[in-house]
Every structure is written in structure tokens, then in C-alpha cells.
Amino acid sequence: MDDSQETLSLVLFSGTDDKLNAAAVLAVGAAAMERKVDILLQYWALDAFRADRVLKDHGVAPEAGPEGAAMVQRHGGQHWSETFRQARDIGVVAIHACSLSMEMLGLDREDLDPMVDDVEGVAAFMAEATGPLTFI
Amino acid sequence: MDDSQETLSLVLFSGTDDKLNAAAVLAVGAAAMERKVDILLQYWALDAFRADRVLKDHGVAPEAGPEGAAMVQRHGGQHWSETFRQARDIGVVAIHACSLSMEMLGLDREDLDPMVDDVEGVAAFMAEATGPLTFI
Amino acid sequence: MDDSQETLSLVLFSGTDDKLNAAAVLAVGAAAMERKVDILLQYWALDAFRADRVLKDHGVAPEAGPEGAAMVQRHGGQHWSETFRQARDIGVVAIHACSLSMEMLGLDREDLDPMVDDVEGVAAFMAEATGPLTFI
């Protein structure tokens, strides 16, 4: 196995803007290295990919405190959704919505941002993601 | 190395019901793919495996908000403890309690749910988990 | 590839003392197994490595509650910064500050604890960390 070609399999669970941004930066970094990126959206990360919520304020991790939250907002870099789009433009990046989480949140495919490729069960994701899993 | 046989090594740290459920679903998915699953329980995940607390409400991630928390409760799927039990029934799944966390929380072996196999130090876990680690 | 020699690549994002402690224990465990350890500090983990903040109280995960937080404080084991130092003493451990997070938090190299080796972009980190990534 050529390690440098190893797929980056990300399970995105958290729905705060700081973690989604960190995940997006890893995805674009891996795509730039010509690694495949395979993403499963669960729970609050999936909720953040709702078409009508992507650009809303999703807050930051609790330990940021008000000072940290203000710093994240002021920094005003590229939005994480734009970074994910960029990753898709330069590499092979698949974004799946977890079917269990879709059901729990009462979502349909058309509720999601178009950059989500499909709805997939965890079993199908695990069948592809036979290597390491990074949980964010 | 046959990647599809790679052990899924999970370090469970978080003790909220949503993350424990996500972890349980990954464990059962890996077990269904005939991957070995090796789990180390630390901190609040270990606390959630106390025999007298497994079925209590452990809350959800802060970003869920009250609306999200209510949705998780309403969904009422299988409890994560049941999903871990199922993973153990269909595959090779070991659940270890981290000895440092046991000490910190003042727990004895008999305080834990019987599905926990043993108490183990991080060094011993790392000696087995020579591949990727997924931290949840 | 000899799996037992696989680098442990940690992306540290969270800045609470419990998670930093868990990360430090994994790092020292890997170093003791003679695995290389490569760490990227982002966001609140980077903030916690500021020279003037390392030893301050960084709180714990929200699910700990006041009881859990008190237990972590009472336990009073070795501080996580000491454990990271120990990992560096016994093994090959590199600690990088993420350049994007440095900018966001308005930090200079000299604001950080001396155990941080350098400032590095995510792309450079991903070029080294071609294997699994553990996100904490």
C-alpha cells in the first residue's frame, strides 16, 4: 500500500464552525496531496449542512469562551463550506449524509446543501472506509 | 496487510449519549465487516459505562441545543449500550477500562457494566493498537 | 510497512485539561512504544500552549459537570504539559503550531511554550502525516 495514497476517511459529528473549519482544512490539505477524501456527516455536522443553515452562525467549542468566539468571527477567513467546495474542485472528495442521522433529524435529501453527494448507511461507509477513521 | 482486516481502535473519551451512540454504530459496522474492534474507555465515556449509570440520560453535545436534544430523545432508537452488546455478539470486540481513569473516578471493576472486559493501562492498549487510533 | 512503527499523527484542537491530558498520555504511550509522534496544535489546544497559559485552569468537557471537574482537579496527577515533555524526552515527538490558528489567535512564536518546535501550515503537516490522523 502506498501510504501517501491512503484515503482520508472523516466522520464529521460536531456542528460548530471551528470544528467544521478544521475539518474542511484537513480535507483540502488531503485533496491537495492527491489523497481521496471520504466524508460521513452525522448528527450536528449533518444539521450544519442543511441548505438553509450552512451560512448561519453555528457557534464554537465551549472552551473558546466569548473572547475566543469573537476572535473566530473577527478572523473572517473563508467559510468552511467554501473550503469543502474547494476540496471537491481540486480532488476526489465524496460527502455522504448518514441515513440514521437523516432520519433522526427528519431530513430529506433536498434539505441538504447540493455539495452533499448522497445518503448512505454507516455499513456502506465502513465497507469503503476500510482504513483509518478520523472522527471530528 | 489486508486493510479490510484492520482493527478499529477506538479511544472513547466523551460521555454524551449522541457521541456514545455514534461510536457504537461505528463499532457494530466494523464488527459486521469482520474487523476486530478494540475500545479503551476514558474519562466521561468510562463514567457512562458505570453499571448504575448506563441507562441514565447523559445529555448530548452542547451545539445540539434544546431542539436537538429533544430530537435525539424522541428518535428513541436502540440504546447505545445495546448496540455495543450487539457488536460483541457478532464480532470480536474488546472493551477495556483505562486504569488511570478508573483511579481518577474512584471506580472498581465491579462498578462497571459487565460488558467491560477488563481494566488496562494506556501502554498495554497502545501495544495492541499499533495501527490507527480513532478518538471520540 | 511495519505497523508498530507507524507514526501517531495527532491533530489537537480541544483546549480543555481533560482532553489535553488524554492526548498527552497517548503521546507518551506511543513514544514508549518507539513510535514517532507528530502533533499539530490548532485553535483552543494551541491557545492552551501559550507560555503564559499552560499551567492555568483550562476547564474540562461540559459533560463532566461540577462533580467531574472537581474529581479531575482532586486527582492531581502530572500536568499534561509535563507528560508531553516526558514524551519528548523518551521518543521522537514533534509539536507544530498551525499557522492558520496562530494568525487567528494573533500569536507569535515567542508567545508559545518552548516545547512547541515550530509553526507549520496544514499542507506541510499533511505532507508528513500521510497515514492515519487522530483528531482530539
Side-chain angles (χ1 to χ4, degrees):
Chain A
M1 184 179 68
D2 177 357
D3 237 17
S4 65
Q5 302 302 329
E6 194 169 88
T7 298
L8 179 66
S9 298
L10 300 176
V11 178
L12 300 192
F13 172 95
S14 300
T16 56
D17 285 323
D18 49 0
K19 280 209 181 165
L20 287 163
N21 191 47
V25 168
L26 293 178
V28 84
M33 303 298 302
E34 305 192 352
R35 290 171 67 178
K36 276 183 61 182
V37 181
D38 208 19
I39 298 174
L40 184 67
L41 302 174
Q42 296 187 322
Y43 281 86
W44 323 114
L46 177 60
D47 194 68
F49 271 82
R50 291 168 66 143
D52 59 345
R53 296 198 185 172
V54 167
L55 296 174
K56 295 225 168 126
D57 178 3
H58 299 90
V60 293
E63 69 256 38
E67 196 199 337
M71 243 182 286
V72 172
Q73 279 205 319
R74 254 203 321 277
H75 183 64
Q78 180 172 269
H79 192 264
W80 52 262
S81 60
E82 206 43 60
T83 308
F84 277 119
R85 254 179 231 109
Q86 194 185 331
R88 290 170 64 83
D89 285 346
I90 65 173
V92 180
V93 179
I95 304 184
H96 313 285
C98 170
S99 53
L100 269 176
S101 294
M102 290 291 283
E103 203 186 310
M104 183 192 71
L105 298 172
L107 298 178
D108 289 319
R109 177 67 194 81
E110 50 270 34
D111 296 324
L112 301 175
D113 187 279
M115 100 178 101
V116 178
D117 292 290
D118 51 28
V119 177
E120 188 172 84
V122 171
F125 183 76
M126 296 293 285
E128 292 161 27
T130 53
L133 286 184
T134 302
F135 189 94
I136 298 186
Chain B
M1 185 179 65
D2 177 356
D3 237 17
S4 65
Q5 303 300 330
E6 194 170 89
T7 298
L8 179 67
S9 298
L10 300 176
V11 178
L12 301 193
F13 171 95
S14 301
T16 55
D17 284 325
D18 49 0
K19 280 212 180 162
L20 286 163
N21 192 46
V25 168
L26 292 179
V28 84
M33 303 299 300
E34 305 193 351
R35 290 171 68 178
K36 275 183 63 182
V37 181
D38 209 18
I39 298 174
L40 184 67
L41 303 174
Q42 295 187 323
Y43 281 87
W44 323 114
L46 177 60
D47 195 68
F49 271 82
R50 290 168 66 144
D52 59 346
R53 296 196 185 172
V54 167
L55 296 175
K56 294 222 168 127
D57 178 2
H58 298 90
V60 293
E63 69 256 38
E67 196 198 339
M71 242 183 285
V72 172
Q73 280 207 319
R74 255 203 321 277
H75 183 63
Q78 180 173 271
H79 192 265
W80 53 262
S81 61
E82 205 44 59
T83 309
F84 277 119
R85 253 179 231 109
Q86 194 184 331
R88 291 170 63 85
D89 284 347
I90 65 172
V92 180
V93 178
I95 305 183
H96 313 284
C98 170
S99 52
L100 269 176
S101 294
M102 290 291 284
E103 203 186 312
M104 184 194 69
L105 297 172
L107 298 178
D108 290 318
R109 177 68 193 81
E110 49 271 32
D111 295 323
L112 302 174
D113 186 279
M115 101 177 100
V116 179
D117 292 290
D118 51 29
V119 178
E120 189 172 82
V122 171
F125 183 75
M126 296 293 284
E128 291 161 26
T130 52
L133 285 184
T134 303
F135 189 94
I136 297 186
Chain C
M1 186 180 67
D2 177 357
D3 236 16
S4 66
Q5 302 301 330
E6 194 169 89
T7 297
L8 179 67
S9 298
L10 300 176
V11 178
L12 301 193
F13 171 95
S14 300
T16 54
D17 285 323
D18 49 359
K19 280 209 181 163
L20 286 164
N21 192 47
V25 168
L26 293 179
V28 84
M33 302 301 300
E34 304 191 354
R35 289 172 67 178
K36 275 183 61 182
V37 181
D38 210 18
I39 298 175
L40 184 67
L41 302 175
Q42 295 188 322
Y43 282 86
W44 323 114
L46 177 61
D47 194 68
F49 271 82
R50 291 168 67 143
D52 59 345
R53 294 196 188 174
V54 167
L55 295 175
K56 294 224 169 126
D57 178 2
H58 298 89
V60 293
E63 70 255 38
E67 196 199 338
M71 242 183 285
V72 172
Q73 279 207 319
R74 253 204 322 276
H75 183 62
Q78 181 174 269
H79 192 265
W80 53 261
S81 60
E82 204 44 58
T83 308
F84 277 119
R85 254 180 230 110
Q86 193 184 332
R88 289 170 64 84
D89 285 347
I90 65 173
V92 181
V93 179
I95 305 184
H96 313 285
C98 170
S99 53
L100 269 176
S101 293
M102 289 291 284
E103 202 187 310
M104 184 192 71
L105 298 172
L107 297 178
D108 290 318
R109 176 68 193 81
E110 50 270 34
D111 295 324
L112 302 174
D113 186 280
M115 100 178 101
V116 178
D117 292 291
D118 51 28
V119 177
E120 189 172 84
V122 170
F125 183 76
M126 296 294 284
E128 292 161 26
T130 53
L133 285 185
T134 303
F135 189 95
I136 296 186

